[in-house]
Amino acid sequence: DAGVTQSPTHLIKTRGQQVTLRCSPISGHKSVSWYQQVLGQGPQFIFQYYEKEERGRGNFPDRFSARQFPNYSSELNVNALLLGDSALYLCASSLMTRANTEAFFGQGTRLTVV
Amino acid sequence: DAKTTQPNSMESNEEEPVHLPCNHSTISGTDYIHWYRQLPSQGPEYVIHGLTSNVNNRMASLAIAEDRKSSTLILHRATLRDAAVYYCILRRPTSSGNTPLVFGKGTRLSVIA
């Protein structure tokens, strides 16, 4: 079975540009979450979607947005990129959003803003 | 959110047991204790979770203190592949079911051959 897949694996963008990251969850998983991990830190929660609805949002500016599609895949968009947005962006999927549900992570997209 | 405290780093010899501690003195009665680990250049992966009783699975054991203010992740025989950052996380159920994982800095485990 395929795990969580993210694309692209790496990309380089210039300050002020916009970027779209993509995530395909494990088949049957309806919840997708996005995390940002800067070097040396643990992942920080950005968004959670369940059944195509936003169920949670972390402390990130409005430049960050996301959506979930009918097939439960998801996109994370970041506008007006800043150098500080350089990070590993992780997508996690799970069957549901309950506290005792295991989350499965993809390998992430490494974004470098120059 | 209730917070966890973990040592920044630990070291273990290969094939020896490893006990990774986590303090969570402000844990609430409904908080689940989860452990994830992140191997180099990979996303985090689930290890184990529990509420009150000790738990075992193929990867590890989780020992939870009687007052639930601390827990210990036990790797019974460390291998080089266990070298990773280990995160202890509390997750609380809500009416909306929204329970994102709140990661700290974790414990970086080094395994020596």
Side-chain angles (χ1 to χ4, degrees), chain A residues 47-94:
Chain A
F47 286 108
Q48 181 181 60
Y49 277 79
Y50 179 69
E51 288 279 20
K52 301 179 287 296
E53 290 187 1
E54 182 182 305
R55 300 297 291 271
R57 173 184 289 248
N59 188 25
F60 280 81
D62 292 343
R63 298 184 296 107
F64 289 76
S65 63
R67 55 180 175 169
Q68 187 177 31
F69 298 98
N71 66 353
Y72 303 110
S73 67
S74 178
E75 286 182 352
L76 175 70
N77 295 287
V78 187
N79 293 323
L81 285 167
L82 303 174
L83 295 179
D85 295 330
S86 295
L88 180 67
Y89 289 84
L90 295 160
C91 172
S93 78
S94 59

mmCIF file of all heavy atoms in Angstrom, chain A residues 47-94:
data_model
loop_
_atom_site.group_PDB
_atom_site.id
_atom_site.type_symbol
_atom_site.label_atom_id
_atom_site.label_comp_id
_atom_site.label_asym_id
_atom_site.label_seq_id
_atom_site.Cartn_x
_atom_site.Cartn_y
_atom_site.Cartn_z
ATOM 1 N N PHE A 47 -2.407 23.400 9.509
ATOM 2 C CA PHE A 47 -3.821 23.197 9.200
ATOM 3 C C PHE A 47 -4.199 21.725 9.399
ATOM 4 O O PHE A 47 -3.369 20.832 9.271
ATOM 5 C CB PHE A 47 -4.130 23.503 7.720
ATOM 6 C CG PHE A 47 -4.158 24.941 7.349
ATOM 7 C CD1 PHE A 47 -3.143 25.476 6.578
ATOM 8 C CD2 PHE A 47 -5.201 25.760 7.735
ATOM 9 C CE1 PHE A 47 -3.159 26.810 6.212
ATOM 10 C CE2 PHE A 47 -5.229 27.085 7.386
ATOM 11 C CZ PHE A 47 -4.199 27.616 6.617
ATOM 12 N N GLN A 48 -5.493 21.524 9.682
ATOM 13 C CA GLN A 48 -6.063 20.191 9.626
ATOM 14 C C GLN A 48 -7.368 20.246 8.838
ATOM 15 O O GLN A 48 -8.198 21.155 9.052
ATOM 16 C CB GLN A 48 -6.338 19.630 11.019
ATOM 17 C CG GLN A 48 -6.906 18.215 10.984
ATOM 18 C CD GLN A 48 -7.198 17.682 12.369
ATOM 19 O OE1 GLN A 48 -7.985 18.256 13.108
ATOM 20 N NE2 GLN A 48 -6.556 16.568 12.719
ATOM 21 N N TYR A 49 -7.558 19.296 7.941
ATOM 22 C CA TYR A 49 -8.788 19.173 7.179
ATOM 23 C C TYR A 49 -9.372 17.785 7.396
ATOM 24 O O TYR A 49 -8.649 16.788 7.515
ATOM 25 C CB TYR A 49 -8.530 19.388 5.682
ATOM 26 C CG TYR A 49 -8.503 20.842 5.308
ATOM 27 C CD1 TYR A 49 -7.364 21.609 5.567
ATOM 28 C CD2 TYR A 49 -9.599 21.464 4.731
ATOM 29 C CE1 TYR A 49 -7.340 22.956 5.259
ATOM 30 C CE2 TYR A 49 -9.583 22.809 4.425
ATOM 31 C CZ TYR A 49 -8.443 23.547 4.695
ATOM 32 O OH TYR A 49 -8.416 24.879 4.397
ATOM 33 N N TYR A 50 -10.688 17.761 7.449
ATOM 34 C CA TYR A 50 -11.396 16.487 7.568
ATOM 35 C C TYR A 50 -12.654 16.580 6.728
ATOM 36 O O TYR A 50 -13.437 17.523 6.874
ATOM 37 C CB TYR A 50 -11.744 16.186 9.021
ATOM 38 C CG TYR A 50 -12.508 14.894 9.219
ATOM 39 C CD1 TYR A 50 -11.884 13.665 9.008
ATOM 40 C CD2 TYR A 50 -13.846 14.888 9.598
ATOM 41 C CE1 TYR A 50 -12.575 12.478 9.171
ATOM 42 C CE2 TYR A 50 -14.537 13.704 9.757
ATOM 43 C CZ TYR A 50 -13.893 12.494 9.554
ATOM 44 O OH TYR A 50 -14.572 11.319 9.723
ATOM 45 N N GLU A 51 -12.839 15.614 5.853
ATOM 46 C CA GLU A 51 -13.997 15.621 4.961
ATOM 47 C C GLU A 51 -14.141 16.972 4.250
ATOM 48 O O GLU A 51 -15.233 17.530 4.159
ATOM 49 C CB GLU A 51 -15.274 15.295 5.746
ATOM 50 C CG GLU A 51 -15.382 13.859 6.171
ATOM 51 C CD GLU A 51 -15.885 12.959 5.037
ATOM 52 O OE1 GLU A 51 -15.799 13.322 3.850
ATOM 53 O OE2 GLU A 51 -16.363 11.853 5.344
ATOM 54 N N LYS A 52 -13.043 17.495 3.795
ATOM 55 C CA LYS A 52 -12.967 18.693 2.959
ATOM 56 C C LYS A 52 -13.254 19.977 3.734
ATOM 57 O O LYS A 52 -13.326 21.058 3.136
ATOM 58 C CB LYS A 52 -13.905 18.583 1.754
ATOM 59 C CG LYS A 52 -13.581 17.368 0.889
ATOM 60 C CD LYS A 52 -14.513 17.239 -0.282
ATOM 61 C CE LYS A 52 -15.898 16.776 0.128
ATOM 62 N NZ LYS A 52 -15.885 15.409 0.703
ATOM 63 N N GLU A 53 -13.389 19.890 5.038
ATOM 64 C CA GLU A 53 -13.619 21.085 5.840
ATOM 65 C C GLU A 53 -12.424 21.356 6.746
ATOM 66 O O GLU A 53 -11.830 20.418 7.302
ATOM 67 C CB GLU A 53 -14.878 20.928 6.700
ATOM 68 C CG GLU A 53 -16.158 20.935 5.898
ATOM 69 C CD GLU A 53 -17.383 20.958 6.787
ATOM 70 O OE1 GLU A 53 -17.227 20.997 8.020
ATOM 71 O OE2 GLU A 53 -18.501 20.936 6.237
ATOM 72 N N GLU A 54 -12.101 22.615 6.927
ATOM 73 C CA GLU A 54 -11.023 22.978 7.841
ATOM 74 C C GLU A 54 -11.466 22.707 9.271
ATOM 75 O O GLU A 54 -12.500 23.201 9.711
ATOM 76 C CB GLU A 54 -10.654 24.455 7.681
ATOM 77 C CG GLU A 54 -9.493 24.881 8.574
ATOM 78 C CD GLU A 54 -9.175 26.365 8.447
ATOM 79 O OE1 GLU A 54 -8.938 26.819 7.313
ATOM 80 O OE2 GLU A 54 -9.173 27.052 9.485
ATOM 81 N N ARG A 55 -10.679 21.933 10.004
ATOM 82 C CA ARG A 55 -11.041 21.584 11.372
ATOM 83 C C ARG A 55 -10.090 22.209 12.386
ATOM 84 O O ARG A 55 -10.341 22.142 13.582
ATOM 85 C CB ARG A 55 -11.024 20.065 11.542
ATOM 86 C CG ARG A 55 -11.972 19.324 10.636
ATOM 87 C CD ARG A 55 -13.419 19.681 10.917
ATOM 88 N NE ARG A 55 -13.856 19.178 12.207
ATOM 89 C CZ ARG A 55 -14.380 17.979 12.408
ATOM 90 N NH1 ARG A 55 -14.529 17.162 11.394
ATOM 91 N NH2 ARG A 55 -14.759 17.603 13.605
ATOM 92 N N GLY A 56 -9.013 22.798 11.898
ATOM 93 C CA GLY A 56 -8.093 23.431 12.830
ATOM 94 C C GLY A 56 -7.051 24.232 12.089
ATOM 95 O O GLY A 56 -6.734 23.937 10.942
ATOM 96 N N ARG A 57 -6.573 25.266 12.767
ATOM 97 C CA ARG A 57 -5.570 26.138 12.156
ATOM 98 C C ARG A 57 -4.570 26.523 13.226
ATOM 99 O O ARG A 57 -4.954 26.890 14.336
ATOM 100 C CB ARG A 57 -6.243 27.376 11.604
ATOM 101 C CG ARG A 57 -5.320 28.456 11.074
ATOM 102 C CD ARG A 57 -6.116 29.689 10.650
ATOM 103 N NE ARG A 57 -6.872 29.430 9.446
ATOM 104 C CZ ARG A 57 -6.611 29.998 8.265
ATOM 105 N NH1 ARG A 57 -5.597 30.833 8.152
ATOM 106 N NH2 ARG A 57 -7.363 29.751 7.217
ATOM 107 N N GLY A 58 -3.296 26.427 12.905
ATOM 108 C CA GLY A 58 -2.252 26.821 13.839
ATOM 109 C C GLY A 58 -1.973 28.315 13.747
ATOM 110 O O GLY A 58 -2.645 29.062 13.034
ATOM 111 N N ASN A 59 -0.954 28.756 14.458
ATOM 112 C CA ASN A 59 -0.612 30.168 14.536
ATOM 113 C C ASN A 59 0.283 30.567 13.357
ATOM 114 O O ASN A 59 1.478 30.805 13.527
ATOM 115 C CB ASN A 59 0.070 30.460 15.872
ATOM 116 C CG ASN A 59 0.279 31.937 16.085
ATOM 117 O OD1 ASN A 59 -0.435 32.760 15.524
ATOM 118 N ND2 ASN A 59 1.267 32.281 16.895
ATOM 119 N N PHE A 60 -0.305 30.620 12.194
ATOM 120 C CA PHE A 60 0.409 31.013 10.983
ATOM 121 C C PHE A 60 -0.343 32.163 10.313
ATOM 122 O O PHE A 60 -1.569 32.255 10.428
ATOM 123 C CB PHE A 60 0.520 29.822 10.019
ATOM 124 C CG PHE A 60 1.624 28.880 10.387
ATOM 125 C CD1 PHE A 60 1.452 27.924 11.375
ATOM 126 C CD2 PHE A 60 2.859 28.950 9.755
ATOM 127 C CE1 PHE A 60 2.467 27.063 11.742
ATOM 128 C CE2 PHE A 60 3.887 28.089 10.105
ATOM 129 C CZ PHE A 60 3.688 27.142 11.102
ATOM 130 N N PRO A 61 0.400 33.031 9.595
ATOM 131 C CA PRO A 61 -0.258 34.190 8.959
ATOM 132 C C PRO A 61 -1.183 33.763 7.829
ATOM 133 O O PRO A 61 -1.140 32.627 7.348
ATOM 134 C CB PRO A 61 0.931 35.008 8.434
ATOM 135 C CG PRO A 61 2.058 34.045 8.317
ATOM 136 C CD PRO A 61 1.855 33.019 9.399
ATOM 137 N N ASP A 62 -2.008 34.728 7.393
ATOM 138 C CA ASP A 62 -2.983 34.464 6.338
ATOM 139 C C ASP A 62 -2.339 34.161 4.993
ATOM 140 O O ASP A 62 -3.035 33.748 4.060
ATOM 141 C CB ASP A 62 -3.916 35.672 6.187
ATOM 142 C CG ASP A 62 -4.813 35.838 7.395
ATOM 143 O OD1 ASP A 62 -4.931 34.867 8.171
ATOM 144 O OD2 ASP A 62 -5.397 36.924 7.570
ATOM 145 N N ARG A 63 -1.044 34.355 4.891
ATOM 146 C CA ARG A 63 -0.344 33.993 3.639
ATOM 147 C C ARG A 63 -0.407 32.474 3.415
ATOM 148 O O ARG A 63 -0.203 32.006 2.300
ATOM 149 C CB ARG A 63 1.126 34.410 3.709
ATOM 150 C CG ARG A 63 1.350 35.896 3.869
ATOM 151 C CD ARG A 63 2.836 36.228 3.821
ATOM 152 N NE ARG A 63 3.597 35.644 4.917
ATOM 153 C CZ ARG A 63 4.442 34.612 4.789
ATOM 154 N NH1 ARG A 63 4.619 34.044 3.597
ATOM 155 N NH2 ARG A 63 5.114 34.163 5.832
ATOM 156 N N PHE A 64 -0.677 31.750 4.470
ATOM 157 C CA PHE A 64 -0.789 30.289 4.386
ATOM 158 C C PHE A 64 -2.264 29.924 4.219
ATOM 159 O O PHE A 64 -3.117 30.401 4.972
ATOM 160 C CB PHE A 64 -0.247 29.625 5.647
ATOM 161 C CG PHE A 64 1.248 29.699 5.787
ATOM 162 C CD1 PHE A 64 1.876 30.873 6.167
ATOM 163 C CD2 PHE A 64 2.037 28.582 5.538
ATOM 164 C CE1 PHE A 64 3.259 30.934 6.297
ATOM 165 C CE2 PHE A 64 3.408 28.626 5.669
ATOM 166 C CZ PHE A 64 4.023 29.818 6.042
ATOM 167 N N SER A 65 -2.541 29.084 3.244
ATOM 168 C CA SER A 65 -3.905 28.605 3.048
ATOM 169 C C SER A 65 -3.842 27.165 2.556
ATOM 170 O O SER A 65 -2.793 26.702 2.089
ATOM 171 C CB SER A 65 -4.670 29.482 2.045
ATOM 172 O OG SER A 65 -4.063 29.420 0.765
ATOM 173 N N ALA A 66 -4.939 26.474 2.673
ATOM 174 C CA ALA A 66 -4.968 25.079 2.244
ATOM 175 C C ALA A 66 -6.376 24.712 1.817
ATOM 176 O O ALA A 66 -7.331 25.445 2.072
ATOM 177 C CB ALA A 66 -4.483 24.161 3.366
ATOM 178 N N ARG A 67 -6.462 23.583 1.174
ATOM 179 C CA ARG A 67 -7.767 23.045 0.841
ATOM 180 C C ARG A 67 -7.654 21.539 0.677
ATOM 181 O O ARG A 67 -6.554 21.003 0.453
ATOM 182 C CB ARG A 67 -8.331 23.670 -0.425
ATOM 183 C CG ARG A 67 -7.448 23.578 -1.649
ATOM 184 C CD ARG A 67 -8.114 24.238 -2.846
ATOM 185 N NE ARG A 67 -7.231 24.277 -4.012
ATOM 186 C CZ ARG A 67 -7.644 24.607 -5.232
ATOM 187 N NH1 ARG A 67 -8.916 24.898 -5.454
ATOM 188 N NH2 ARG A 67 -6.777 24.627 -6.235
ATOM 189 N N GLN A 68 -8.809 20.882 0.779
ATOM 190 C CA GLN A 68 -8.859 19.437 0.591
ATOM 191 C C GLN A 68 -9.874 19.144 -0.501
ATOM 192 O O GLN A 68 -10.958 19.726 -0.527
ATOM 193 C CB GLN A 68 -9.247 18.726 1.894
ATOM 194 C CG GLN A 68 -9.160 17.207 1.806
ATOM 195 C CD GLN A 68 -9.465 16.508 3.120
ATOM 196 O OE1 GLN A 68 -10.266 17.004 3.923
ATOM 197 N NE2 GLN A 68 -8.832 15.367 3.360
ATOM 198 N N PHE A 69 -9.536 18.241 -1.358
ATOM 199 C CA PHE A 69 -10.356 17.924 -2.518
ATOM 200 C C PHE A 69 -11.275 16.734 -2.240
ATOM 201 O O PHE A 69 -11.085 16.013 -1.253
ATOM 202 C CB PHE A 69 -9.448 17.659 -3.714
ATOM 203 C CG PHE A 69 -8.613 18.845 -4.095
ATOM 204 C CD1 PHE A 69 -7.298 18.946 -3.670
ATOM 205 C CD2 PHE A 69 -9.149 19.885 -4.844
ATOM 206 C CE1 PHE A 69 -6.518 20.048 -3.992
ATOM 207 C CE2 PHE A 69 -8.387 20.988 -5.168
ATOM 208 C CZ PHE A 69 -7.078 21.074 -4.742
ATOM 209 N N PRO A 70 -12.266 16.496 -3.135
ATOM 210 C CA PRO A 70 -13.187 15.372 -2.918
ATOM 211 C C PRO A 70 -12.488 14.027 -2.788
ATOM 212 O O PRO A 70 -13.009 13.114 -2.141
ATOM 213 C CB PRO A 70 -14.097 15.418 -4.148
ATOM 214 C CG PRO A 70 -14.112 16.861 -4.527
ATOM 215 C CD PRO A 70 -12.728 17.368 -4.234
ATOM 216 N N ASN A 71 -11.320 13.858 -3.397
ATOM 217 C CA ASN A 71 -10.598 12.580 -3.253
ATOM 218 C C ASN A 71 -9.698 12.587 -2.005
ATOM 219 O O ASN A 71 -8.882 11.686 -1.834
ATOM 220 C CB ASN A 71 -9.764 12.295 -4.498
ATOM 221 C CG ASN A 71 -8.636 13.288 -4.696
ATOM 222 O OD1 ASN A 71 -8.535 14.288 -3.973
ATOM 223 N ND2 ASN A 71 -7.786 13.037 -5.685
ATOM 224 N N TYR A 72 -9.843 13.609 -1.170
ATOM 225 C CA TYR A 72 -9.142 13.768 0.112
ATOM 226 C C TYR A 72 -7.688 14.201 -0.026
ATOM 227 O O TYR A 72 -7.013 14.397 0.986
ATOM 228 C CB TYR A 72 -9.246 12.522 0.986
ATOM 229 C CG TYR A 72 -10.673 12.142 1.264
ATOM 230 C CD1 TYR A 72 -11.234 10.997 0.701
ATOM 231 C CD2 TYR A 72 -11.474 12.955 2.049
ATOM 232 C CE1 TYR A 72 -12.567 10.671 0.919
ATOM 233 C CE2 TYR A 72 -12.806 12.639 2.277
ATOM 234 C CZ TYR A 72 -13.344 11.501 1.714
ATOM 235 O OH TYR A 72 -14.664 11.189 1.936
ATOM 236 N N SER A 73 -7.198 14.377 -1.241
ATOM 237 C CA SER A 73 -5.875 14.968 -1.385
ATOM 238 C C SER A 73 -5.943 16.426 -0.955
ATOM 239 O O SER A 73 -7.031 16.989 -0.791
ATOM 240 C CB SER A 73 -5.380 14.856 -2.823
ATOM 241 O OG SER A 73 -6.175 15.665 -3.684
ATOM 242 N N SER A 74 -4.778 17.020 -0.776
ATOM 243 C CA SER A 74 -4.763 18.375 -0.223
ATOM 244 C C SER A 74 -3.648 19.195 -0.839
ATOM 245 O O SER A 74 -2.647 18.650 -1.323
ATOM 246 C CB SER A 74 -4.583 18.309 1.294
ATOM 247 O OG SER A 74 -4.509 19.607 1.869
ATOM 248 N N GLU A 75 -3.857 20.490 -0.830
ATOM 249 C CA GLU A 75 -2.829 21.441 -1.252
ATOM 250 C C GLU A 75 -2.597 22.468 -0.158
ATOM 251 O O GLU A 75 -3.543 22.900 0.498
ATOM 252 C CB GLU A 75 -3.268 22.179 -2.532
ATOM 253 C CG GLU A 75 -3.201 21.365 -3.785
ATOM 254 C CD GLU A 75 -3.596 22.175 -5.008
ATOM 255 O OE1 GLU A 75 -4.069 23.321 -4.851
ATOM 256 O OE2 GLU A 75 -3.437 21.645 -6.124
ATOM 257 N N LEU A 76 -1.338 22.835 0.005
ATOM 258 C CA LEU A 76 -0.969 23.927 0.902
ATOM 259 C C LEU A 76 -0.397 25.033 0.023
ATOM 260 O O LEU A 76 0.500 24.789 -0.777
ATOM 261 C CB LEU A 76 0.075 23.479 1.923
ATOM 262 C CG LEU A 76 0.632 24.573 2.835
ATOM 263 C CD1 LEU A 76 -0.433 25.034 3.824
ATOM 264 C CD2 LEU A 76 1.867 24.075 3.584
ATOM 265 N N ASN A 77 -0.933 26.231 0.153
ATOM 266 C CA ASN A 77 -0.455 27.378 -0.604
ATOM 267 C C ASN A 77 0.180 28.397 0.334
ATOM 268 O O ASN A 77 -0.340 28.665 1.426
ATOM 269 C CB ASN A 77 -1.613 28.054 -1.335
ATOM 270 C CG ASN A 77 -2.211 27.160 -2.391
ATOM 271 O OD1 ASN A 77 -1.633 26.939 -3.433
ATOM 272 N ND2 ASN A 77 -3.383 26.611 -2.100
ATOM 273 N N VAL A 78 1.293 28.929 -0.101
ATOM 274 C CA VAL A 78 1.937 29.998 0.657
ATOM 275 C C VAL A 78 2.208 31.144 -0.304
ATOM 276 O O VAL A 78 2.870 30.965 -1.334
ATOM 277 C CB VAL A 78 3.251 29.537 1.312
ATOM 278 C CG1 VAL A 78 3.784 30.643 2.225
ATOM 279 C CG2 VAL A 78 3.058 28.253 2.097
ATOM 280 N N ASN A 79 1.651 32.306 0.019
ATOM 281 C CA ASN A 79 1.844 33.496 -0.813
ATOM 282 C C ASN A 79 2.932 34.386 -0.244
ATOM 283 O O ASN A 79 3.283 34.299 0.940
ATOM 284 C CB ASN A 79 0.537 34.299 -0.878
ATOM 285 C CG ASN A 79 -0.552 33.547 -1.615
ATOM 286 O OD1 ASN A 79 -0.291 32.860 -2.598
ATOM 287 N ND2 ASN A 79 -1.769 33.670 -1.124
ATOM 288 N N ALA A 80 3.433 35.274 -1.109
ATOM 289 C CA ALA A 80 4.403 36.287 -0.678
ATOM 290 C C ALA A 80 5.496 35.687 0.192
ATOM 291 O O ALA A 80 5.700 36.082 1.343
ATOM 292 C CB ALA A 80 3.670 37.402 0.074
ATOM 293 N N LEU A 81 6.187 34.732 -0.349
ATOM 294 C CA LEU A 81 7.180 33.968 0.406
ATOM 295 C C LEU A 81 8.235 34.863 1.051
ATOM 296 O O LEU A 81 8.728 35.830 0.447
ATOM 297 C CB LEU A 81 7.856 32.948 -0.506
ATOM 298 C CG LEU A 81 7.016 31.715 -0.855
ATOM 299 C CD1 LEU A 81 7.650 30.954 -2.007
ATOM 300 C CD2 LEU A 81 6.846 30.819 0.366
ATOM 301 N N LEU A 82 8.572 34.482 2.279
ATOM 302 C CA LEU A 82 9.637 35.130 3.034
ATOM 303 C C LEU A 82 10.777 34.141 3.239
ATOM 304 O O LEU A 82 10.568 32.922 3.177
ATOM 305 C CB LEU A 82 9.117 35.590 4.401
ATOM 306 C CG LEU A 82 7.917 36.531 4.403
ATOM 307 C CD1 LEU A 82 7.442 36.763 5.828
ATOM 308 C CD2 LEU A 82 8.257 37.835 3.724
ATOM 309 N N LEU A 83 11.979 34.670 3.509
ATOM 310 C CA LEU A 83 13.103 33.778 3.764
ATOM 311 C C LEU A 83 12.788 32.812 4.900
ATOM 312 O O LEU A 83 13.202 31.653 4.878
ATOM 313 C CB LEU A 83 14.351 34.590 4.096
ATOM 314 C CG LEU A 83 14.906 35.483 2.983
ATOM 315 C CD1 LEU A 83 16.133 36.242 3.477
ATOM 316 C CD2 LEU A 83 15.242 34.661 1.740
ATOM 317 N N GLY A 84 12.044 33.291 5.896
ATOM 318 C CA GLY A 84 11.704 32.483 7.059
ATOM 319 C C GLY A 84 10.744 31.352 6.778
ATOM 320 O O GLY A 84 10.501 30.514 7.642
ATOM 321 N N ASP A 85 10.195 31.317 5.568
ATOM 322 C CA ASP A 85 9.306 30.209 5.189
ATOM 323 C C ASP A 85 10.096 28.987 4.744
ATOM 324 O O ASP A 85 9.517 27.925 4.496
ATOM 325 C CB ASP A 85 8.359 30.639 4.062
ATOM 326 C CG ASP A 85 7.401 31.733 4.488
ATOM 327 O OD1 ASP A 85 7.044 31.775 5.694
ATOM 328 O OD2 ASP A 85 7.015 32.543 3.624
ATOM 329 N N SER A 86 11.389 29.131 4.639
ATOM 330 C CA SER A 86 12.235 27.995 4.281
ATOM 331 C C SER A 86 12.129 26.935 5.369
ATOM 332 O O SER A 86 12.421 27.205 6.544
ATOM 333 C CB SER A 86 13.694 28.443 4.135
ATOM 334 O OG SER A 86 13.841 29.349 3.058
ATOM 335 N N ALA A 87 11.710 25.742 4.978
ATOM 336 C CA ALA A 87 11.454 24.697 5.963
ATOM 337 C C ALA A 87 11.092 23.412 5.252
ATOM 338 O O ALA A 87 10.928 23.380 4.028
ATOM 339 C CB ALA A 87 10.302 25.100 6.892
ATOM 340 N N LEU A 88 10.948 22.360 6.052
ATOM 341 C CA LEU A 88 10.389 21.096 5.564
ATOM 342 C C LEU A 88 8.892 21.131 5.857
ATOM 343 O O LEU A 88 8.485 21.341 7.007
ATOM 344 C CB LEU A 88 11.040 19.927 6.283
ATOM 345 C CG LEU A 88 10.564 18.522 5.893
ATOM 346 C CD1 LEU A 88 10.971 18.187 4.456
ATOM 347 C CD2 LEU A 88 11.129 17.478 6.862
ATOM 348 N N TYR A 89 8.076 20.958 4.833
ATOM 349 C CA TYR A 89 6.630 20.954 5.009
ATOM 350 C C TYR A 89 6.145 19.508 4.962
ATOM 351 O O TYR A 89 6.349 18.794 3.978
ATOM 352 C CB TYR A 89 5.954 21.819 3.948
ATOM 353 C CG TYR A 89 6.212 23.286 4.203
ATOM 354 C CD1 TYR A 89 7.381 23.891 3.753
ATOM 355 C CD2 TYR A 89 5.318 24.029 4.961
ATOM 356 C CE1 TYR A 89 7.640 25.229 4.036
ATOM 357 C CE2 TYR A 89 5.565 25.362 5.249
ATOM 358 C CZ TYR A 89 6.729 25.957 4.783
ATOM 359 O OH TYR A 89 6.996 27.274 5.069
ATOM 360 N N LEU A 90 5.502 19.121 6.036
ATOM 361 C CA LEU A 90 5.071 17.746 6.211
ATOM 362 C C LEU A 90 3.558 17.641 6.129
ATOM 363 O O LEU A 90 2.834 18.484 6.653
ATOM 364 C CB LEU A 90 5.536 17.216 7.571
ATOM 365 C CG LEU A 90 7.041 17.096 7.751
ATOM 366 C CD1 LEU A 90 7.398 17.055 9.234
ATOM 367 C CD2 LEU A 90 7.551 15.839 7.053
ATOM 368 N N CYS A 91 3.116 16.588 5.488
ATOM 369 C CA CYS A 91 1.689 16.276 5.424
ATOM 370 C C CYS A 91 1.466 14.980 6.191
ATOM 371 O O CYS A 91 2.289 14.057 6.123
ATOM 372 C CB CYS A 91 1.269 16.119 3.966
ATOM 373 S SG CYS A 91 -0.416 15.521 3.729
ATOM 374 N N ALA A 92 0.383 14.927 6.943
ATOM 375 C CA ALA A 92 0.042 13.717 7.688
ATOM 376 C C ALA A 92 -1.403 13.358 7.412
ATOM 377 O O ALA A 92 -2.267 14.238 7.331
ATOM 378 C CB ALA A 92 0.249 13.928 9.185
ATOM 379 N N SER A 93 -1.681 12.077 7.270
ATOM 380 C CA SER A 93 -3.059 11.661 7.093
ATOM 381 C C SER A 93 -3.453 10.694 8.203
ATOM 382 O O SER A 93 -2.610 10.023 8.801
ATOM 383 C CB SER A 93 -3.284 11.028 5.715
ATOM 384 O OG SER A 93 -2.811 9.684 5.653
ATOM 385 N N SER A 94 -4.734 10.656 8.476
ATOM 386 C CA SER A 94 -5.254 9.723 9.470
ATOM 387 C C SER A 94 -6.701 9.409 9.123
ATOM 388 O O SER A 94 -7.343 10.116 8.344
ATOM 389 C CB SER A 94 -5.140 10.288 10.889
ATOM 390 O OG SER A 94 -5.844 11.504 11.000
#
